[in-house]
Amino acid sequence: MQKMILIAGAFLLMAGAAQASPDLAKAKNCMTCHTVDKKIVGPAYKDIAAKRAAEKGAEAALTAKIKNGSQGEWGQVPMPANNVTDAEAATLAKWVLSQK
């Protein structure tokens, strides 16, 4: 019984983290340069999702770019490395790729 409660709790935490992505993006200052539907400094999340829609391994690639930074793919302005954990970067990547 205790094992089932722990498993259920883990699933609830994972679901909460996935749903918290807009808040996580705000907390990690992603929304300073990006929005869901229009370009600011960086591309709109919808544009990123559209560009990566058919890309194999898109989530892992985007996770790495969020964590380590990126340059040249969307213009001259580089995206700096972000102070996020691997789990936070993965959550953000999954959320960005869901914006259609």
Side-chain angles (χ1 to χ4, degrees):
M1 180 70 170
Q2 192 174 27
K3 194 174 191 179
M4 285 186 67
I5 293 171
L6 289 174
I7 291 170
F11 280 116
L12 288 173
L13 284 174
M14 288 188 301
Q19 292 174 350
S21 296
D23 293 331
L24 181 59
K26 288 176 189 168
K28 296 299 180 176
N29 296 318
C30 303
M31 303 302 255
T32 302
C33 297
H34 299 277
T35 68
V36 171
D37 59 354
K38 63 183 171 198
K39 177 181 174 29
I40 299 180
V41 174
Y45 293 135
K46 287 184 177 190
D47 294 338
I48 296 168
K51 181 175 183 175
R52 303 242 181 253
E55 182 181 314
K56 190 174 185 177
E59 190 174 325
L62 188 55
T63 297
K65 287 177 183 271
I66 290 168
K67 183 144 177 86
N68 303 317
S70 174
Q71 186 171 358
E73 185 174 354
W74 294 92
Q76 297 296 339
V77 179
M79 182 174 85
N82 290 283
N83 186 21
V84 294
T85 65
D86 291 341
E88 289 169 334
T91 298
L92 288 165
K94 185 175 223 159
W95 176 71
V96 169
L97 293 172
S98 74
Q99 304 304 302
K100 298 192 172 147

